[in-house]
Amino acid sequence: MQFNTSKVQSNAPGTNPASANPASGDPTGFPVNPLRRPTGCRASLGWKLAIVAGVFLGLWLANAAVGHLRQAHVEAFTAQLNDAGKLRMYSQRIALLASTCDTGASREGQRCRQAVGDAVEQYEAKLAAVRQSPNELFLGEDQRQIQRSLQALEADWEPYRAAAQRFGSRLDTQGASSGDESTEGEKTEGESAAIYLGDHADAMLAKAESLVELLVAAHRRAQEARNTLDNLLQLVGLLLLVLVAIVGYRQGIKPLREIVRLARQTSQGNYQGRVLSAPGDEIGELAYAFNEASLRTEQLIGDLGAEVATAQRERAKSDNLLESAADGIIICQLDGTILRVNRELERIFGYSRAELRNRNVKELIPERYRAKHDIYQQGYVAEPKSRQMGIDAAVSGLSKSGREIPLEISLSPSTLGDETRVIAVIRDATERERAAADKARLVAILDATPDVTVTFTADGEMVYLNPAGRELVGLQAKDSLKGLRLEDMLAPDSHVLLYEQAVPMALELGSWSGEMMIRDHGGHDIAVSQSIMAHPCQAEEPQYLSLIARDISVSKKQQQELTHRATHDALTGLANRMLFEDRLDQALLRADRSRTLVAVLFIDLDNFKPVNDTLGHAVGDRLLKELAQSLKDQLRSGDTKARLGGDEFAVILEGLESAEAAQEVVEELTRALNRSVRLDGHELLVTTSIGVSLYPDDAATAETLLLTADAAMYEAKAAGRNGYRFFNPA
C-alpha cells in the first residue's frame, strides 16, 4: 500500500478563487479541481479491507487448524495411551492365570483355558489398536522411536502368545479327559509354557511401560512444538495489527480530519478551501467530490434566482398530472357544464374529450335517474362542499355505447376568484361490483355447505362461522361471535396440534391439512378432516386464516372396525396370529431394552375333538369362547392373548424378572382354566396342556420362541395332559 498525506489549500474569505490556481481555469472563471479524479484500477477501501480481513482470517484459520490438530492429537493420544497401558495389564493377567490355574479338574481347566484365551484376544486387540493409532502428529524422530518400540514389543509378544496358546491348549486337552488321565508329556508341555510365561512377564511389562513412557514424552514434545507455532502466529498477528493501524491513520483518519475542517469552513460561507492530495480510494473520491462541490456552490447560488423562476413556470405545467391520474376527472361549472376531462374519463365513458366539452354531466347519467340528479344538483349549488357517492352502493353512469357503468364519485368544489368549479373524481366500480357479487356467491355456498367453515385471526379469534359450524357449537344465526375462539370448538388434545403445528405451518407455507377432533355443544368429540389456509395480507393488516372441517367419524369408525377384523379372531375376539406375531416382535425389543424376560405360553385344549364330534361345532365354539374369557379374566390387560387357530391359544407375558415369576403366572392360569363348564345341559371338564418358552434363555427370535413353546406343549401332553411344561433343550 502507498502512504499519501493530505495537503490543504485554504484562502481567506474575499480573495479571488482563481488565484488559488492561476495556471488553470475554466471559461466561467472558476478554478478547476486541483485533485485528479481516481480512475482505472485502484485499491479501493473495500479491497484494502478485504485484504486485511483475508490476512487476519488466514491467521485465525491457522490458529484454528493448530487448535484442531492439538485437540485431535489429544484425543488420539488418550486412546493410544489407554490401549498401551492395558497391554501391561493383559500380559500380567496371562502370567497370573498360568501360575494360578487349577489343572486338577476338567471343568476348572476349561474355565482357565477360556480366561487365558480371552486375555490373549484382548492383548491382540489392544496391540492392534496401538499399531493402527495415527502417529503423524508426533515429531519425526518420535514417530520412528515409537515404531521401533512397537516392533520390539510385537517381537516379544509372538513367543509369549505362543506359550499362552500352548498352555490354553494343554488345559483344554486335560479338561476333555478326567482326573489323571492326561499324559505326562501334556503336563510337561503345559508346565513349561506356564514357566515361560512367568519368566517373561516382567520383560513384557517393561516393554509395554517403555512404550507408554515414549508416547508420553513424544506427546509432550509435540505439544511444545505446537505451542511455539501458536506464539509465532500471535506475534505475526500483533505486528499486522500495528501496521494496519499506522496505514489506517495516514491514509484514512488524517485526510478525513482535513475534509471535516474544510466542511466547517463551507458551513460558514467560505467555499475556497481545497484538498490538494488524498489516497486513490474512496477517501480520494470524497475529497474530489468535496472540491467539486465547493467549486460549484457559488455558481449554484447565482443560479438560484433563475431556478426559482423556472420552478414557477414548471408549476404552471403541473396540470399535466391530470392526464396521468388513475381515476377519471371532470372539471365542470356548478350548472354541470363540462369544462375539462382527462384521459381516464374518456376510457370510462367511451367519449372523446372534444365530444364531452360543453356538454352537461346529466347526459352521462341513465335517463331514469336524471330527475333525481336535478334535485341533487340544486342542493349542491346551494351548499357546495366535498361529498362522496357510490361508496356503499355504486352510482350508475351511462357510457357512449349505452351500457350502464357502476361508479364511485368524489365531488370537491374549487373557487378561483369569483368563480366556483366542481372537480369530480370518478372511479369505475365494475371490478368492485364483480368482486362483491363473487363474495355474495361464495357466502351463499359456505352457508349451504355441510362442512364447518371458520375464518379466524392468527391468535384464534373467530370472525366468521358458517351455519353448519354455528349448529355444531349451538349458536343461532343472529348470535355474535365476539369472544368466541377457535379452540372452543376443539377437543383439548387438538389444541396443541392447532397452535404448535397447523397454524404455524399454514402461515409459513400457505396451507395445512390434517385430522383433529371437534367438540360439539353436547360435549361429544367428532373426528374431522381439516384444511387451514392463510389469507394474503399487508404488513399493517391483521393475519386471517380459514378452516374447512369435514366430519369423518363414520369412515374412521369403519376403518377401526376393518382394522379390528383384520387383527382379531372373529369367534373369540382375541388377537389373531398376525397381531400376535407383531406384538411378540415388539415385546422382544422392549425386553432387550429393559433386560427382562418374555414368556410365551402355547395352550392347547385337551380332548377338544370329541366335544366337536359328539356335541357339535356350536358347543365347541362356545367352549372356545369360555376359554378365551377365562384368559381375559385371569391375565393382565396388557398381556397379549391370542387364538392361533382351532383349539390352540397363545399368551405373551412381558416384564418378567425371573423364570419363577413366569411359573407363578402359569400355575394360577392352569388352575383357572382346568375346571368344569356346563354348556347346553352338558357338564364338560376342561383341561389344557400348556408349553412355556422364555426369551432370551430358550430362543433368540420370535419364530423360534413360538416353536419352543409349541414343543414344550407337546411335552405336557405326552406327560398326561392337564398340566404345563417349560421348554427343556435336553
Side-chain angles (χ1 to χ4, degrees):
M1 288 183 288
Q2 181 182 359
F3 293 84
N4 292 328
T5 58
S6 299
K7 297 181 180 180
V8 177
Q9 173 182 304
S10 178
N11 298 327
T15 60
N16 184 1
S19 63
N21 191 358
S24 62
D26 62 14
T28 63
F30 290 91
V32 297
N33 194 333
L35 270 181
R36 186 173 184 179
R37 184 169 190 168
T39 57
C41 181
R42 58 189 177 86
S44 65
L45 281 177
W47 279 107
K48 293 176 182 177
L49 291 175
I51 292 172
V52 171
V55 171
F56 279 102
L57 177 60
L59 288 173
W60 179 84
L61 290 175
N63 272 307
V66 172
H68 176 73
L69 289 175
R70 180 183 291 107
Q71 180 66 26
H73 191 194
V74 168
E75 294 176 357
F77 168 74
T78 301
Q80 188 178 27
L81 187 63
N82 182 49
D83 293 334
K86 290 184 178 179
L87 293 178
R88 300 177 298 180
M89 179 184 70
Y90 292 135
S91 65
Q92 299 309 299
R93 177 174 174 80
I94 294 171
L96 178 62
L97 289 171
S99 64
T100 60
C101 280
D102 181 10
T103 61
S106 62
R107 189 177 300 276
E108 288 294 324
Q110 185 178 8
R111 280 200 292 268
C112 245
R113 177 186 60 79
Q114 182 63 39
V116 171
D118 290 345
V120 170
E121 291 177 359
Q122 291 168 343
Y123 191 100
E124 285 280 283
K126 295 304 177 183
L127 184 60
V130 173
R131 187 187 306 113
Q132 295 172 2
S133 297
N135 294 324
E136 293 81 8
L137 297 178
F138 291 118
L139 299 180
E141 182 59 30
D142 288 334
Q143 294 181 29
R144 289 187 287 274
Q145 290 183 7
I146 292 171
Q147 187 64 26
R148 288 194 292 271
S149 177
L150 185 59
Q151 290 173 352
L153 180 61
E154 291 175 340
D156 288 350
W157 165 245
E158 289 300 327
Y160 199 79
R161 178 186 61 184
Q165 290 174 342
R166 291 198 306 276
F167 180 77
S169 300
R170 179 251 174 179
L171 288 179
D172 186 36
T173 304
Q174 189 172 356
S177 60
S178 61
D180 297 329
E181 292 179 2
S182 59
T183 66
E184 187 64 24
E186 292 171 343
K187 290 184 179 180
T188 301
E189 182 180 358
E191 290 170 356
S192 64
I195 293 172
Y196 181 90
L197 293 174
D199 292 342
H200 290 77
D202 291 338
M204 294 298 296
L205 177 63
K207 289 292 179 62
E209 289 179 342
S210 174
L211 177 60
V212 170
E213 293 172 357
L214 183 57
L215 287 172
V216 172
H219 176 69
R220 184 178 64 255
R221 286 189 288 272
Q223 288 290 81
E224 291 173 354
R226 281 189 289 272
N227 290 338
T228 302
L229 180 58
D230 258 344
N231 294 334
L232 180 60
L233 290 174
Q234 292 175 5
L235 179 60
V236 172
L238 179 61
L239 293 177
L240 284 175
L241 186 62
V242 172
L243 179 62
V244 169
I246 295 173
V247 173
Y249 175 78
R250 298 191 64 181
Q251 293 201 0
I253 297 176
K254 190 174 180 181
L256 287 175
R257 284 181 175 175
E258 293 300 329
I259 294 173
V260 169
R261 185 178 65 82
L262 292 176
R264 291 197 180 104
Q265 290 183 7
T266 60
S267 66
Q268 298 171 0
N270 180 7
Y271 300 97
Q272 297 174 349
R274 303 290 182 268
V275 181
L276 300 181
S277 64
D281 53 22
E282 284 82 353
I283 296 178
E285 287 279 1
L286 177 61
Y288 183 89
F290 176 84
N291 289 348
E292 284 289 310
S294 297
L295 288 170
R296 298 302 176 185
T297 299
E298 289 185 351
Q299 182 179 7
L300 293 175
I301 292 174
D303 294 338
L304 184 59
E307 292 293 336
V308 171
T310 302
Q312 291 175 345
R313 290 193 299 270
E314 291 298 325
R315 279 198 300 269
K317 301 177 182 178
S318 63
D319 57 351
N320 289 333
L321 296 176
L322 184 70
E323 295 300 323
S324 60
D327 296 326
I329 297 176
I330 296 178
I331 300 176
C332 62
Q333 297 176 351
L334 285 176
D335 62 359
T337 301
I338 298 174
L339 301 177
R340 187 172 181 181
V341 299
N342 70 342
R343 185 181 301 110
E344 178 62 15
L345 191 104
E346 290 180 299
R347 186 199 67 78
I348 292 174
F349 288 97
Y351 290 100
S352 67
R353 64 189 63 201
E355 293 173 322
L356 290 173
R357 190 173 293 115
N358 296 324
R359 297 178 69 172
N360 197 287
V361 293
K362 184 168 59 175
E363 299 181 37
L364 301 179
I365 299 173
E367 184 71 31
R368 63 183 181 279
Y369 297 125
R370 291 179 183 177
K372 184 183 294 186
H373 169 76
D374 292 338
I375 298 173
Y376 178 83
Q377 184 179 14
Q378 293 174 6
Y380 190 83
V381 170
E383 187 181 357
K385 62 180 181 180
S386 297
R387 299 180 184 178
Q388 289 186 333
M389 299 181 294
I391 300 301
D392 296 328
V395 175
S396 293
L398 186 64
S399 69
K400 182 178 180 180
S401 64
R403 180 177 63 89
E404 292 191 9
I405 311 165
L407 303 173
E408 296 177 13
I409 302 175
S410 176
L411 299 178
S412 299
S414 176
T415 301
L416 298 175
D418 57 352
E419 294 185 355
T420 299
R421 300 285 186 264
V422 179
I423 301 175
V425 179
I426 300 174
R427 176 171 297 175
D428 189 346
T430 302
E431 291 301 323
R432 190 195 76 178
E433 293 288 303
R434 183 178 294 113
D438 292 342
K439 181 179 179 181
R441 284 192 293 271
L442 178 60
V443 170
I445 293 172
L446 294 178
D447 287 346
T449 181
D451 296 336
V452 175
T453 305
V454 185
T455 300
F456 61 99
T457 61
D459 61 357
E461 184 178 354
M462 288 191 191
V463 296
Y464 169 78
L465 183 62
N466 73 335
R470 288 176 175 270
E471 181 180 355
L472 182 73
V473 299
L475 288 178
Q476 300 297 323
K478 60 183 179 181
D479 292 340
S480 173
L481 295 176
K482 187 175 182 180
L484 189 63
R485 301 183 60 79
L486 181 59
E487 56 263 32
D488 297 336
M489 295 180 58
L490 301 178
D493 293 343
S494 297
H495 291 181
V496 176
L497 177 61
L498 175 69
Y499 287 114
E500 292 188 3
Q501 179 178 336
V503 170
M505 186 176 294
L507 293 176
E508 180 181 358
L509 304 179
S511 64
W512 175 88
S513 297
E515 295 182 5
M516 289 189 188
M517 299 296 292
I518 286 183
R519 178 162 293 178
D520 63 13
H521 64 280
H524 303 102
D525 291 344
I526 303 171
V528 295
S529 173
Q530 286 193 153
S531 295
I532 297 178
M533 295 151 287
H535 297 191
C537 68
Q538 301 297 328
E540 65 276 3
E541 296 178 352
Q543 177 67 61
Y544 291 99
L545 301 96
S546 289
L547 176 149
I548 300 175
R550 174 165 294 176
D551 186 352
I552 58 170
S553 56
V554 175
S555 60
K556 292 284 284 188
K557 184 177 180 181
Q558 293 173 346
Q559 182 181 0
Q560 292 171 356
E561 291 177 353
L562 290 175
T563 302
H564 186 273
R565 291 178 183 176
T567 57
H568 289 75
D569 178 55
L571 177 64
T572 63
L574 300 180
N576 61 13
R577 180 179 289 273
M578 180 182 68
L579 181 58
F580 175 83
E581 292 175 351
D582 179 71
R583 289 187 178 176
L584 183 56
D585 290 334
Q586 300 301 318
L588 299 190
L589 294 176
R590 288 190 291 269
D592 291 337
R593 290 194 295 268
S594 61
R595 299 187 180 278
T596 57
L597 300 178
V598 175
V600 170
L601 282 59
F602 200 103
I603 305 170
D604 188 85
L605 272 175
D606 296 330
N607 300 317
F608 178 69
K609 188 175 185 301
V611 174
N612 269 343
D613 294 342
T614 59
L615 302 180
H617 288 282
V619 174
D621 288 347
R622 291 181 58 188
L623 181 59
L624 293 176
K625 290 181 181 180
E626 286 289 334
L627 178 61
Q629 187 60 46
S630 297
L631 291 176
K632 294 177 184 178
D633 295 339
Q634 184 65 26
L635 297 174
R636 299 171 298 182
S637 60
D639 296 330
T640 299
K641 287 78 69 174
R643 181 189 178 203
L644 303 184
D647 59 345
E648 295 178 344
F649 295 81
V651 174
I652 302 173
L653 301 178
E654 296 187 57
L656 300 175
E657 297 296 335
S658 63
E660 289 75 12
Q663 185 173 2
E664 292 178 4
V665 176
V666 174
E667 288 178 350
E668 293 179 3
L669 182 61
T670 301
R671 287 193 294 270
L673 295 180
N674 296 342
R675 58 189 176 88
S676 295
V677 177
R678 189 169 184 82
L679 298 175
D680 292 345
H682 301 282
E683 190 76 21
L684 302 177
L685 178 61
V686 178
T687 63
T688 59
S689 297
I690 303 177
V692 185
S693 180
L694 297 176
Y695 173 85
D697 296 346
D698 300 331
T701 65
E703 181 179 0
T704 55
L705 189 62
L706 188 59
L707 291 175
T708 52
D710 187 27
M713 183 272 293
Y714 279 107
E715 290 181 8
K717 281 190 177 294
R721 294 183 171 85
N722 192 18
Y724 66 90
R725 285 289 186 274
F726 277 76
F727 176 71
N728 184 0

